[in-house]
Amino acid sequence: MSKRAILLIHCPDQKGLVAKITDFLFKLGGNITYLDQYVDVEGARFFMRVEWELQGFKLYPDAIGPIFGKELGEPLNLTWRLYFSDQRPKVAIFCSKEPHCLDDILARKSSGEWELEIPLILSNHRLLEPTAKRFGIEFAYVPVLPEKKEEAEKAQLALLKKHQIDFIVLARYMQIISETFIEQYPNKIINIHHSFLPAFAGAKPYHAAFERGVKLIGATSHYVTADLDSGPIIEQSTTPVTHHDRIEDLIRKGRDQEKLVLAKAIWLHLNRKILVFQNRTVVFV
Amino acid sequence: MSKRAILLIHCPDQKGLVAKITDFLFKLGGNITYLDQYVDVEGARFFMRVEWELQGFKLYPDAIGPIFGKELGEPLNLTWRLYFSDQRPKVAIFCSKEPHCLDDILARKSSGEWELEIPLILSNHRLLEPTAKRFGIEFAYVPVLPEKKEEAEKAQLALLKKHQIDFIVLARYMQIISETFIEQYPNKIINIHHSFLPAFAGAKPYHAAFERGVKLIGATSHYVTADLDSGPIIEQSTTPVTHHDRIEDLIRKGRDQEKLVLAKAIWLHLNRKILVFQNRTVVFV
Amino acid sequence: MSKRAILLIHCPDQKGLVAKITDFLFKLGGNITYLDQYVDVEGARFFMRVEWELQGFKLYPDAIGPIFGKELGEPLNLTWRLYFSDQRPKVAIFCSKEPHCLDDILARKSSGEWELEIPLILSNHRLLEPTAKRFGIEFAYVPVLPEKKEEAEKAQLALLKKHQIDFIVLARYMQIISETFIEQYPNKIINIHHSFLPAFAGAKPYHAAFERGVKLIGATSHYVTADLDSGPIIEQSTTPVTHHDRIEDLIRKGRDQEKLVLAKAIWLHLNRKILVFQNRTVVFV
Amino acid sequence: MSKRAILLIHCPDQKGLVAKITDFLFKLGGNITYLDQYVDVEGARFFMRVEWELQGFKLYPDAIGPIFGKELGEPLNLTWRLYFSDQRPKVAIFCSKEPHCLDDILARKSSGEWELEIPLILSNHRLLEPTAKRFGIEFAYVPVLPEKKEEAEKAQLALLKKHQIDFIVLARYMQIISETFIEQYPNKIINIHHSFLPAFAGAKPYHAAFERGVKLIGATSHYVTADLDSGPIIEQSTTPVTHHDRIEDLIRKGRDQEKLVLAKAIWLHLNRKILVFQNRTVVFV
């Protein structure tokens, strides 16, 4: 596929938005290959994702942002962000002791399924270091002691800066991240929680699910916010369980949910399919 | 199919239970058409459902219970219940204003999909009376005023006794039932809650789900206990929603979940497929 | 909700289509409440659904079609159709002996879930006449004898004309419809087939599914074309089965699939969400 | 968990089978931890899986088979097989160019999720050799030229014998295997087909699915028989697709189905949960 530009926009709803935006692209020779808009009628908010080919477009890539901002962004009070299809984001994976999400992510990266760079794997345990080595990725062991958490986060942040990380994936990283840390990566930290949130937030959700006797277990991927397990949900799924399933079976069945729901969120984020507004996501198809 | 007997059993786990029970049936000429057992290893509890043909069985139906009780029930400390496949339970439906669950139940009954009697529909509103009439079923309007709840429940209980009701289905009946009432129908009141419990217990779950921005909505059928929305879960399902779905869409999509999840629970109960122990259900296939 | 107009459009893809169409609506004061477009890049075909409020729109409803046609439809070579949200289509239900789809449709209609008229139920058996009567709907018994099929279809068509039927739902109507008949209702006859097509097309799909030992059974709703069970698919679903399920269990489990998948198709058709092109459907959310 | 024995049994149905078999185990001091039986009433066939702890059992593991065979197997005409929970099967993976199933299998093996040995990866292409190396597994490149297929299979069989392979997984191995080969591994070759069989058997199922305009795509794992894509089905799943999904999207979405459905089949096979009879599987929970 040829190189494309992607605009993600949201703003207070107003008449003629789609006409103005598509007209702007049309006049500059843009061949639109994707357009989706959504109006939250109650909230009077407009959301849009538009993608067009750069071949034949009358502006240089670097000029698109400034000109779009001046002609439409400012006058229409748009919140917008511009991406190009050939940008390969740099992603850091945080993990702990559970390998399945990390394994799945590295396999997808390695097979060419995803267009991203993974320069760094960060963990508070050494257990998964061999996995990182297998794929030739730097593994940073940063222990997180309760009394030295601030220090640990400083070390983590330094590593992220060094590697110019664009976004972070918590691949069953079992530590709570501080507000200060999160503020530096707003809507750029994707977590997988092993329950269908808001049920069973917090620790040991499979134990709680077993105790409650549910007939479905789930997984939820979401952006991390200061409020634990309460950030904007990106993707969820559930799978049936029965009385035959003990806690160890819930954990086993849950793994497949977790890795798929996390992978879906990463794919959507990578492909600039997600807009966040008021703690909810608009996810374009 | 010929007439069959069904035994539902649970007890502390011990060696040789299946051998003893199947041996008992075998010696009396019982042709077993269904056998399933489940051992909760951690809880050391044994659960079993066995079904056999009465044709060729050496005991009269009325003698089975007493003899089984004496030979196995008491010595092995079994909690057990005996049913016969030709018993048609009498069911009362409680409803309020939402018709979809009631409509679905009556259609299944009317088409012969289910073997049961529905002598009574009870409601705190008159809105669904025409539905009851359409099917020639007695409709009892029992208003439930906050200050006269006890009185209303007395009237309801009198009607249930009069019709010799075996079990009750709350088909989107939006009232809380008192502990006194529930005690008279232990594990015999089936409710449908319009969320994947334990998420969004209580009132207005679709509004809460919308607010939280979930990507799945669900429905849960459970036996009613004194603890609101916390009884043993029988069946659950979820269905995807997106940012396009407003509260009214969640309600619309949820209806289909609710009616199917409730119908599944009724079918399982009717077919003696459910055992309850410590607020969890064992649901035989 | 206020009255809205809906345009369904498809045409060869070309630059600026969205801009031109939304611009047309914008200049006339149209407040767009729904816009979705889809480009089939390989087929170079453009599809669009747009919905806007008539309040404040500068054209009378009757004028919209002619003016849109002249200004955009002809110059841009659009295939398009205009609807209004307050039109209540007239639907005829064809059924045979299975009641569950008919029951479900009538319950939805009766509860106000759907905006449509059902002036006519047509069947080749008398079995479901009581259901029609229960809802006060005309029931036409038109037997279909193999040697008198043409005659039967003439009688059916006369009834459809008399009632000014807009579209037809085959609610487990087990007869094959002739090409001549179908041509009079192109993409206006919705069928439910009790398998996940293209598997198990033709008669007795549950028997075939059992024979093959599948672990999923399905249902498919589609528009009827001259090619049996091969028309454009609108909606499909599957549900798990196991070795425990005998043919009668597949039939029982399948019923719920069938009624939901058919209901979804009817809802989509009613809400003008479906475009058909080259035997495939574009289904807007 | 302590070491357990597993019996898989099927035979013509007859009275008292469960009693006799559980009685046999009971008298020898066997503590049953799993028991499931299934009677195919129409086919008059009995199926059973029983698992018990070896601790406290009065027979040595080596004696169980001969004594069970003599006392019950022969007199009752049972088809039966005995396994022990600590046997780690040796598995060969056949692959071609698609990495996702192989990656998933190796990750599960490597993380300890599965109890098996993978001494050999066999392929008709060199593409996935680096993956094998990453996990330190022997990679055998056996090109399969149309005119030299027999020769290739001889080489493959020699490698399988050398490594004492117990069963084979075709992880998107795109070659047809000869009847001669299959006969040597009856119900011991697990394949993943990228469609919900029997729809879209044969080559390029995603292309065919796209062409037909289905709204679901699926995956099927099955034992390989001489009849292409027609062996006993072990597990199937489907996932929704829309008109937005082009063939490349079907392929992308399908990958996750394939790897999970194949993994489920391998897990079931490993855990001795599958009985095959008359081209259908009985899959114990």
Side-chain angles (χ1 to χ4, degrees):
Chain A
M1 265 217 225
S2 64
K3 191 174 163 179
R4 283 150 293 118
I6 299 153
L7 261 174
L8 281 176
I9 299 166
H10 64 102
C11 63
D13 194 24
Q14 47 196 297
K15 277 192 189 182
L17 279 168
V18 176
K20 283 170 190 162
I21 295 163
T22 57
D23 204 46
F24 170 86
L25 297 175
F26 176 50
K27 284 181 181 156
L28 289 163
N31 189 30
I32 293 175
T33 54
Y34 180 98
L35 174 70
D36 198 7
Q37 66 118 43
Y38 165 66
V39 178
D40 172 0
V41 175
E42 278 147 61
R45 193 91 195 163
F46 172 88
F47 300 86
M48 185 171 177
R49 184 184 187 278
V50 60
E51 189 171 325
W52 69 97
E53 291 179 304
L54 288 174
Q55 199 175 16
F57 197 60
K58 287 178 189 152
L59 297 179
Y60 284 112
D62 285 355
I64 297 173
I67 291 176
F68 178 80
K70 199 179 157 194
E71 291 202 13
L72 292 179
E74 282 163 50
L76 295 172
N77 191 22
L78 310 180
T79 303
W80 60 275
R81 206 171 283 262
L82 177 71
Y83 302 96
F84 297 101
S85 64
D86 61 350
Q87 291 165 328
R88 283 171 68 92
K90 291 197 177 80
V91 183
I93 315 294
F94 281 50
C95 59
S96 196
K97 289 176 172 178
E98 291 281 346
H100 55 286
C101 288
L102 179 64
D103 283 336
D104 190 59
I105 290 166
L106 297 181
R108 290 174 198 265
K109 156 80 177 83
S110 154
S111 70
E113 188 177 319
W114 287 345
E115 293 291 330
L116 48 66
E117 303 295 333
I118 302 178
L120 179 66
I121 296 172
L122 250 155
S123 183
N124 57 332
H125 292 282
R126 287 206 181 278
L127 197 71
L128 301 181
E129 189 162 11
T131 303
K133 279 202 174 140
R134 199 182 285 152
F135 288 88
I137 298 172
E138 180 179 331
F139 181 89
Y141 167 58
V142 182
V144 182
L145 304 171
E147 68 279 14
K148 292 191 176 173
K149 190 158 181 170
E150 210 181 312
E151 201 175 307
E153 289 200 343
K154 267 186 196 162
Q156 292 170 338
L157 285 166
L159 283 161
L160 297 174
K161 301 291 179 233
K162 182 189 139 197
H163 287 284
Q164 296 176 286
I165 293 304
D166 292 301
F167 72 94
I168 296 163
V169 174
L170 307 185
R172 295 297 309 275
Y173 178 67
M174 307 303 282
Q175 297 291 319
I176 294 170
I177 293 177
S178 76
E179 203 166 340
T180 321
F181 188 117
I182 295 165
E183 274 165 6
Q184 303 201 34
Y185 292 90
N187 296 330
K188 289 181 175 174
I189 309 175
I190 298 174
N191 185 42
I192 179 71
H193 184 76
H194 37 317
S195 81
F196 49 86
L197 287 174
F200 311 124
K204 295 202 170 279
Y206 291 128
H207 290 71
F210 179 82
E211 196 56 41
R212 178 63 187 93
V214 295
K215 299 299 183 186
L216 292 173
I217 54 165
T220 305
S221 52
H222 63 95
Y223 287 119
V224 174
T225 58
D227 211 355
L228 184 67
D229 293 334
S230 301
I233 293 172
I234 302 169
E235 175 79 0
Q236 296 187 289
S237 83
T238 56
T239 202
V241 293
T242 76
H243 60 271
H244 281 278
D245 294 303
R246 285 169 295 188
I247 290 171
E248 67 208 55
D249 299 305
L250 302 192
I251 291 171
R252 173 176 55 81
K253 292 187 171 182
R255 273 187 215 118
D256 286 350
Q257 299 277 308
E258 295 163 29
K259 73 189 193 193
L260 258 58
V261 166
L262 178 57
K264 181 76 183 292
I266 297 171
W267 186 86
L268 290 168
H269 187 95
L270 264 183
N271 286 278
R272 326 298 189 183
K273 296 273 195 179
I274 312 174
L275 267 171
V276 175
F277 187 66
Q278 293 180 335
N279 210 47
R280 302 170 73 220
T281 59
V282 169
V283 176
F284 295 102
V285 293
Chain B
M1 266 219 225
S2 65
K3 191 173 161 180
R4 282 150 293 118
I6 299 152
L7 261 174
L8 283 177
I9 299 165
H10 64 102
C11 62
D13 194 24
Q14 46 198 296
K15 277 194 189 180
L17 279 167
V18 176
K20 285 169 190 163
I21 295 164
T22 56
D23 203 45
F24 170 86
L25 297 174
F26 175 50
K27 285 179 182 158
L28 289 163
N31 190 30
I32 294 176
T33 54
Y34 181 98
L35 173 69
D36 200 6
Q37 67 117 41
Y38 165 66
V39 178
D40 173 358
V41 176
E42 279 148 61
R45 193 92 194 160
F46 172 88
F47 301 85
M48 184 171 177
R49 184 185 188 277
V50 60
E51 189 171 325
W52 69 97
E53 290 180 304
L54 288 174
Q55 200 174 15
F57 197 60
K58 288 177 189 152
L59 296 179
Y60 285 112
D62 284 355
I64 298 172
I67 291 176
F68 179 80
K70 199 179 156 194
E71 291 200 14
L72 293 179
E74 280 162 53
L76 296 172
N77 192 21
L78 310 180
T79 303
W80 60 275
R81 207 171 282 262
L82 177 71
Y83 303 96
F84 297 101
S85 65
D86 61 350
Q87 291 164 329
R88 284 170 68 92
K90 292 197 176 82
V91 184
I93 315 293
F94 281 49
C95 59
S96 197
K97 291 176 170 177
E98 292 280 346
H100 55 286
C101 288
L102 179 64
D103 283 336
D104 191 58
I105 290 166
L106 297 181
R108 289 175 198 264
K109 156 81 176 84
S110 152
S111 70
E113 189 177 320
W114 287 345
E115 293 291 330
L116 47 66
E117 304 294 333
I118 303 178
L120 179 65
I121 296 172
L122 251 155
S123 184
N124 57 332
H125 291 282
R126 287 205 180 280
L127 197 70
L128 301 181
E129 190 163 10
T131 303
K133 280 201 174 139
R134 198 182 286 151
F135 288 87
I137 298 171
E138 181 178 330
F139 181 90
Y141 167 58
V142 182
V144 182
L145 303 172
E147 70 277 14
K148 292 187 177 177
K149 191 157 180 169
E150 210 180 311
E151 202 175 307
E153 289 200 344
K154 268 186 195 163
Q156 292 170 340
L157 285 167
L159 284 161
L160 297 174
K161 301 291 179 232
K162 183 188 139 199
H163 287 282
Q164 297 177 283
I165 292 303
D166 292 303
F167 72 93
I168 297 164
V169 174
L170 308 184
R172 294 297 310 274
Y173 178 66
M174 307 303 282
Q175 298 291 318
I176 293 171
I177 293 177
S178 76
E179 203 165 338
T180 320
F181 188 115
I182 295 164
E183 275 165 6
Q184 302 201 35
Y185 291 92
N187 295 330
K188 289 182 174 175
I189 309 175
I190 298 174
N191 184 43
I192 179 71
H193 184 76
H194 37 317
S195 80
F196 49 86
L197 288 174
F200 311 124
K204 295 204 169 279
Y206 291 128
H207 289 73
F210 180 81
E211 196 57 39
R212 179 61 188 92
V214 293
K215 299 299 183 187
L216 293 173
I217 54 166
T220 304
S221 53
H222 63 94
Y223 287 118
V224 174
T225 58
D227 209 357
L228 184 67
D229 294 334
S230 300
I233 293 172
I234 303 168
E235 175 78 2
Q236 297 189 286
S237 84
T238 55
T239 201
V241 294
T242 75
H243 60 273
H244 280 278
D245 293 303
R246 286 169 296 189
I247 290 171
E248 68 209 54
D249 299 305
L250 302 192
I251 291 171
R252 173 176 55 81
K253 292 187 172 182
R255 272 186 216 120
D256 286 350
Q257 299 277 307
E258 294 163 28
K259 73 190 193 193
L260 258 58
V261 167
L262 179 56
K264 180 75 183 292
I266 296 171
W267 185 86
L268 289 168
H269 187 94
L270 264 183
N271 287 278
R272 326 300 187 179
K273 297 273 195 178
I274 313 175
L275 268 173
V276 175
F277 187 67
Q278 294 181 336
N279 210 47
R280 304 170 73 219
T281 59
V282 168
V283 177
F284 294 101
V285 292
Chain C
M1 264 219 227
S2 66
K3 191 175 162 180
R4 283 150 293 119
I6 299 152
L7 262 173
L8 282 177
I9 299 165
H10 64 102
C11 62
D13 195 25
Q14 46 198 297
K15 275 192 191 183
L17 279 167
V18 176
K20 283 171 189 160
I21 294 164
T22 56
D23 204 45
F24 170 85
L25 296 175
F26 175 50
K27 283 179 181 159
L28 288 162
N31 189 31
I32 294 175
T33 54
Y34 181 98
L35 172 70
D36 199 6
Q37 66 117 42
Y38 166 67
V39 179
D40 172 1
V41 175
E42 279 147 61
R45 193 91 193 162
F46 172 89
F47 300 86
M48 184 172 177
R49 183 184 187 278
V50 60
E51 188 171 326
W52 70 97
E53 291 180 302
L54 287 173
Q55 200 175 14
F57 197 61
K58 288 178 187 150
L59 296 179
Y60 284 112
D62 284 355
I64 298 173
I67 291 176
F68 178 81
K70 200 178 158 196
E71 291 201 15
L72 293 178
E74 281 163 50
L76 296 172
N77 192 22
L78 310 181
T79 303
W80 60 276
R81 207 171 282 262
L82 178 70
Y83 302 96
F84 298 101
S85 64
D86 61 350
Q87 291 165 328
R88 283 171 69 92
K90 292 198 177 79
V91 184
I93 315 294
F94 281 48
C95 59
S96 196
K97 290 177 171 178
E98 291 279 348
H100 55 287
C101 288
L102 179 64
D103 283 336
D104 190 58
I105 290 167
L106 297 181
R108 289 175 197 266
K109 155 83 177 80
S110 154
S111 70
E113 190 177 318
W114 287 345
E115 294 290 331
L116 47 66
E117 304 293 333
I118 302 177
L120 181 66
I121 296 172
L122 251 156
S123 184
N124 57 333
H125 292 282
R126 287 205 180 278
L127 196 71
L128 301 181
E129 190 163 11
T131 304
K133 278 201 174 142
R134 197 182 286 152
F135 288 88
I137 298 171
E138 181 178 331
F139 180 90
Y141 167 59
V142 182
V144 182
L145 303 171
E147 70 279 15
K148 292 189 176 175
K149 189 157 181 170
E150 210 180 312
E151 202 175 308
E153 288 200 344
K154 268 185 196 161
Q156 291 170 338
L157 285 166
L159 283 161
L160 297 174
K161 301 288 181 238
K162 181 189 139 200
H163 286 283
Q164 297 176 284
I165 293 303
D166 293 302
F167 72 94
I168 295 164
V169 173
L170 307 184
R172 296 294 313 274
Y173 178 67
M174 307 304 283
Q175 298 291 318
I176 293 171
I177 293 176
S178 77
E179 202 164 340
T180 320
F181 188 116
I182 295 164
E183 275 164 6
Q184 303 202 37
Y185 292 90
N187 295 331
K188 288 180 175 176
I189 308 175
I190 298 174
N191 185 42
I192 179 71
H193 184 77
H194 37 316
S195 80
F196 48 87
L197 288 173
F200 312 124
K204 294 205 172 276
Y206 291 127
H207 290 73
F210 179 82
E211 197 55 42
R212 179 61 187 92
V214 293
K215 299 298 184 187
L216 292 173
I217 54 166
T220 305
S221 53
H222 63 94
Y223 287 119
V224 174
T225 58
D227 210 355
L228 185 67
D229 294 334
S230 300
I233 293 172
I234 303 169
E235 175 78 2
Q236 297 187 287
S237 83
T238 56
T239 201
V241 294
T242 75
H243 60 272
H244 281 278
D245 294 303
R246 285 168 296 188
I247 291 170
E248 69 210 51
D249 299 305
L250 302 192
I251 291 170
R252 172 175 56 82
K253 292 187 171 183
R255 274 187 215 119
D256 286 349
Q257 300 277 307
E258 294 164 28
K259 73 188 194 193
L260 258 58
V261 166
L262 178 57
K264 181 76 183 290
I266 296 171
W267 186 85
L268 290 167
H269 188 94
L270 265 183
N271 286 278
R272 327 298 189 182
K273 296 275 195 179
I274 313 173
L275 269 171
V276 175
F277 187 67
Q278 291 179 339
N279 211 48
R280 302 168 75 218
T281 59
V282 169
V283 176
F284 294 102
V285 293
Chain D
M1 266 218 225
S2 65
K3 191 173 163 179
R4 282 151 292 118
I6 299 153
L7 262 173
L8 282 176
I9 300 165
H10 64 101
C11 63
D13 195 23
Q14 46 197 297
K15 276 194 190 179
L17 279 168
V18 176
K20 284 170 189 160
I21 295 163
T22 56
D23 204 45
F24 170 86
L25 297 175
F26 175 51
K27 284 179 183 157
L28 289 163
N31 189 31
I32 294 176
T33 54
Y34 181 100
L35 172 70
D36 200 6
Q37 66 118 41
Y38 165 66
V39 178
D40 173 359
V41 176
E42 279 147 61
R45 193 92 193 160
F46 172 89
F47 300 85
M48 185 172 177
R49 182 185 189 278
V50 60
E51 189 170 326
W52 69 97
E53 289 179 305
L54 288 174
Q55 199 174 14
F57 197 60
K58 288 177 189 151
L59 297 180
Y60 285 112
D62 285 355
I64 298 172
I67 291 176
F68 178 80
K70 200 179 157 194
E71 291 201 13
L72 294 177
E74 280 162 52
L76 296 171
N77 192 21
L78 310 181
T79 304
W80 60 276
R81 206 170 284 262
L82 177 70
Y83 301 96
F84 297 101
S85 64
D86 61 350
Q87 290 165 327
R88 285 171 67 92
K90 291 198 178 79
V91 183
I93 315 293
F94 281 49
C95 59
S96 195
K97 289 176 172 178
E98 291 280 346
H100 54 287
C101 288
L102 179 64
D103 283 337
D104 191 58
I105 290 166
L106 297 180
R108 289 175 198 264
K109 156 81 176 82
S110 153
S111 70
E113 189 177 320
W114 287 345
E115 293 291 331
L116 47 66
E117 304 294 332
I118 303 179
L120 179 66
I121 296 172
L122 251 155
S123 183
N124 57 333
H125 291 282
R126 288 205 179 279
L127 197 69
L128 301 181
E129 189 163 11
T131 303
K133 280 202 172 139
R134 198 182 286 151
F135 288 87
I137 298 171
E138 180 178 330
F139 181 90
Y141 167 58
V142 182
V144 182
L145 303 172
E147 69 279 13
K148 292 189 175 174
K149 191 157 179 168
E150 209 181 312
E151 200 175 309
E153 289 200 344
K154 267 186 196 162
Q156 292 170 338
L157 285 166
L159 283 161
L160 297 174
K161 301 289 181 237
K162 181 189 141 200
H163 288 283
Q164 297 176 285
I165 293 302
D166 293 301
F167 71 94
I168 296 164
V169 173
L170 308 184
R172 297 294 312 274
Y173 179 67
M174 308 302 284
Q175 298 290 318
I176 293 171
I177 293 177
S178 77
E179 203 165 340
T180 320
F181 188 115
I182 295 165
E183 275 165 6
Q184 303 202 34
Y185 292 91
N187 296 330
K188 289 182 174 175
I189 309 175
I190 298 174
N191 185 42
I192 179 73
H193 184 77
H194 36 317
S195 80
F196 47 88
L197 288 173
F200 312 124
K204 293 203 173 278
Y206 291 127
H207 289 72
F210 179 82
E211 197 55 42
R212 179 62 187 92
V214 294
K215 300 297 183 187
L216 292 172
I217 54 166
T220 304
S221 53
H222 63 95
Y223 287 118
V224 174
T225 58
D227 210 355
L228 185 66
D229 294 335
S230 301
I233 293 172
I234 303 169
E235 173 79 1
Q236 296 189 287
S237 83
T238 55
T239 201
V241 295
T242 75
H243 60 271
H244 280 278
D245 293 303
R246 285 168 296 188
I247 290 169
E248 69 209 53
D249 298 305
L250 302 191
I251 292 170
R252 173 176 55 81
K253 292 187 171 183
R255 271 186 218 120
D256 286 349
Q257 299 278 307
E258 295 162 29
K259 73 189 192 194
L260 257 58
V261 166
L262 179 56
K264 180 75 183 291
I266 296 171
W267 186 86
L268 290 168
H269 187 95
L270 264 183
N271 286 277
R272 327 299 189 181
K273 298 273 196 178
I274 313 174
L275 269 171
V276 175
F277 186 67
Q278 292 179 338
N279 211 46
R280 304 169 73 221
T281 58
V282 169
V283 177
F284 294 101
V285 293

